[in-house]
């Protein structure tokens, strides 16, 4: 080979490497799935564990005690509690794995529980959904059956009537505190709208209408979008994920999904995962086209879903199946199904340690899933 031809060959090789570099950078990265998990339990300090939220900066979980005098899953399908009703939120240390304090929510006016469309039964403001804003030091809980929202300081020991925002006949469900904007979004299932609160004050500053029976929410600040699932419990005819422009508070699209889908933005890919509790399907929505690009069949009952961005994993809490499913957050492949021995209701993951914490439905304990290897 002549010297000039050798130089050309070298230039070609270098150019090929430069062209391939962006492709390599954009190639899917395999999830760092643990080789095994251990499952343990710890007391949550509640009669009936509802939802929970993790404050990584303080190594604390905030857990709602959703024990209520009566509980309903829609219409006349209701049950009565066997425990004394003492509305509260407990604070659990992830370091000591013990409840370190309790926030008393009992000093609030009673709300009226709906039986069908009719408010009939006075009930305590028992919290169910929860969101926290560590930046502003605030906790916001939804009291679904009493039709109220309570907002208070993270360091509080008790609340007063002034902490309550009464929302008669609305059945508030999912709540999301957007720390980037200081806004909190509350899904008012019976009112067909999402309420917008000032997180610092807990007071209403707006609403988003035109969303039939909204349930749970998540936000993508980079795209100025709020995603809202819906729960058409009775007829199950209107099933969708609503896409809201957070700059205008207008619904820009409704994406048809399987019934009772709950949304979570995937921090690994930017896509939106909508897990259907009713069907076991997860609809993966492309964040650019807002079209469903993949459906994952879990063959379970995925009540809630969370992402571990550090390890590129997703977890679903399968309430009825008493399992937690581990998925690859990039491909959606099911990697493992973990038996929990208890009906896990809501989960969070500490992406520093990879540990998953879940509340046990209508029970007083937490399920703690620890990765090994």
């Amino acid at each position: 080979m002549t010297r000039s031809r050798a130089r050309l060959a070298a230039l070609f090789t270098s150019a090929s490497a430069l062209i391939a570099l962006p492709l390599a950078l954009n190639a899917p990265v395999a999830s760092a799935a643990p080789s095994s998990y251990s499952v343990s339990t710890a007391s949550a300090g509640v009669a009936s564990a509802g939802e929970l939220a993790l404050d990584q900066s303080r190594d604390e979980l905030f857990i709602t005690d959703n024990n209520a005098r009566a509980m309903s899953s829609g219409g006349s399908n209701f049950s009565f509690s066997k425990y004394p009703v003492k509305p509260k939120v407990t604070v659990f240390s992830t370091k000591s794995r013990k409840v370190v304090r309790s926030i008393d929510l009992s000093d609030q006016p009673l709300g009226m529980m709906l039986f069908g469309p009719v408010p009939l039964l006075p009930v305590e403001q028992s919290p169910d959904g929860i969101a926290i804003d560590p930046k502003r030091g605030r906790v916001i809980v939804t009291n679904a059956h009493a039709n109220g929202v309570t907002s208070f300081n993270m360091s509080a020991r008790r609340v007063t009537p002034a902490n309550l925002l009464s929302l008669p006949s609305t059945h508030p469900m999912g709540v999301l505190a957007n720390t980037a904007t200081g806004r909190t979004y509350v899904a008012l299932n019976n009112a067909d709208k999402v309420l917008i609160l000032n997180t610092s004050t807990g007071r209403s500053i707006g609403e988003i209408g035109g969303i039939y029976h909204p349930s749970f929410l998540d936000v993508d600040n980079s795209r100025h979008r709020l995603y809202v699932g819906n729960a058409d419990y009775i007829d199950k005819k209107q099933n969708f994920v609503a896409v809201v422009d957070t700059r205008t508070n207008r619904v820009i699209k409704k994406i048809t999904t399987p019934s009772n889908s709950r949304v979570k933005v995937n921090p690994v890919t930017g896509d939106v995962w909508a897990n259907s509790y009713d069907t076991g399907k997860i609809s993966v929505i492309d964040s650019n086209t807002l079209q469903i690009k993949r459906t994952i069949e879990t063959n379970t009952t995925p009540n809630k879903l969370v992402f571990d961005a550090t390890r590129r994993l997703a977890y679903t809490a399968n309430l009825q199946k008493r399992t937690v499913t581990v998925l690859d957050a990039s491909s959606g492949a099911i990697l493992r199904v973990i038996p929990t021995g208890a009906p896990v209701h809501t989960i969070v993951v500490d992406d520093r340690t990879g540990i998953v914490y879940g509340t046990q439905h209508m029970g007083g304990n937490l399920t703690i899933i620890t990765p090994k290897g």
Side-chain angles (χ1 to χ4, degrees):
M1 180 182 294
T2 66
R3 184 176 297 177
S4 60
R5 292 178 65 185
R7 287 177 178 173
L8 285 172
L11 286 171
F12 179 78
T13 302
S14 299
S16 299
L18 287 172
I19 292 170
L21 181 59
L23 296 177
L25 290 175
N26 292 327
V29 178
S31 62
S35 57
S36 63
Y37 293 86
S38 66
V39 179
S40 59
T41 61
S43 173
V46 297
S48 176
E51 296 188 11
L52 74 171
L54 173 65
D55 179 0
Q56 287 189 337
S57 64
R58 295 174 174 83
D59 297 301
E60 290 180 337
L61 292 171
F62 289 74
I63 308 163
T64 61
D65 189 342
N66 69 354
N67 179 46
R69 191 182 310 182
M71 290 176 278
S72 171
S73 58
S76 59
N77 182 13
F78 63 92
S79 60
F80 291 91
S81 173
K82 61 181 179 181
Y83 302 104
V85 177
K86 296 180 179 179
K88 64 178 178 291
V89 169
T90 59
V91 183
F92 179 93
S93 168
T94 57
K95 286 188 173 181
S96 67
R97 295 197 172 182
K98 293 181 180 179
V99 173
V100 293
R101 59 191 176 90
S102 181
I103 305 167
D104 184 358
L105 272 61
S106 61
D107 188 18
Q108 299 177 97
L110 298 179
M112 295 296 292
M113 180 177 173
L114 300 174
F115 284 78
V118 183
L120 285 181
L121 181 66
V123 293
E124 292 78 5
Q125 298 285 344
S126 297
D128 196 351
I130 187 168
I132 60 174
D133 183 340
K135 181 178 178 180
R136 295 167 181 83
R138 302 297 292 176
V139 181
I140 307 95
V141 298
T142 55
N143 315 320
H145 299 301
N147 296 288
V149 172
T150 308
S151 175
F152 50 94
N153 194 282
M154 293 177 75
S155 60
R157 293 285 181 169
R158 66 181 69 249
V159 304
T160 70
N163 295 101
L164 177 68
L165 177 63
S166 181
L167 300 164
S169 301
T170 60
H171 194 78
M173 288 185 65
V175 54
L176 170 77
N178 189 346
T179 57
T181 63
R183 292 184 170 190
T184 292
Y185 299 92
V186 182
L188 303 182
N189 186 258
N190 278 2
D192 298 337
K193 62 185 178 183
V194 172
L195 186 67
I196 308 172
L197 306 178
N198 179 311
T199 301
S200 297
T201 65
R203 298 300 136 185
S204 173
I205 56 174
E207 60 183 44
I208 304 162
I211 305 177
Y212 183 71
H213 284 16
S215 58
F216 300 98
L217 328 87
D218 203 5
V219 69
D220 182 349
N221 285 314
S222 65
R223 295 176 175 83
H224 306 287
R225 289 178 187 160
L226 177 72
Y227 296 95
V228 187
N230 88 315
D232 182 5
Y233 287 116
I234 307 301
D235 298 328
K236 297 186 179 181
K237 291 181 179 179
Q238 296 191 47
N239 307 302
F240 57 83
V241 167
V243 186
V244 177
D245 187 323
T246 54
R247 295 164 296 189
T248 63
N249 293 330
R250 294 184 180 276
V251 177
I252 59 175
K253 187 168 185 178
K254 292 180 180 178
I255 304 165
T256 301
T257 59
S259 61
N260 205 352
S261 289
R262 292 99 187 266
V263 289
K264 206 71 177 175
V265 176
N266 185 343
V268 175
T269 64
D271 292 334
V272 181
W273 287 28
N275 56 293
S276 168
Y277 176 70
D278 290 344
T279 68
K281 296 179 181 180
I282 300 175
S283 302
V284 180
I285 300 168
D286 188 296
S287 57
N288 295 313
T289 64
L290 296 180
Q291 301 285 337
I292 295 175
K293 66 178 185 180
R294 184 189 310 128
T295 299
I296 304 167
E297 296 277 1
T298 69
N299 297 312
T300 62
T301 52
N303 187 57
K304 295 292 177 63
L305 182 150
V306 294
F307 289 100
D308 179 347
T310 301
R311 294 158 191 80
R312 308 178 74 85
L313 297 172
Y315 295 88
T316 64
N318 310 318
L319 181 65
Q320 301 296 338
K321 298 289 187 178
R322 299 185 176 225
T323 60
V324 165
T325 300
V326 189
L327 303 98
D328 186 303
S330 298
S331 68
I334 295 176
L335 304 176
R336 186 181 299 272
V337 178
I338 305 169
T340 58
V344 178
H345 180 276
T346 302
I347 53 177
V348 295
V349 61
D350 186 336
D351 57 16
R352 300 169 303 175
T353 62
I355 298 175
V356 178
Y357 301 90
T359 53
Q360 296 181 7
H361 182 54
M362 298 185 73
N365 291 329
L366 289 175
T367 292
I368 303 174
I369 302 173
T370 305
K372 302 292 184 181

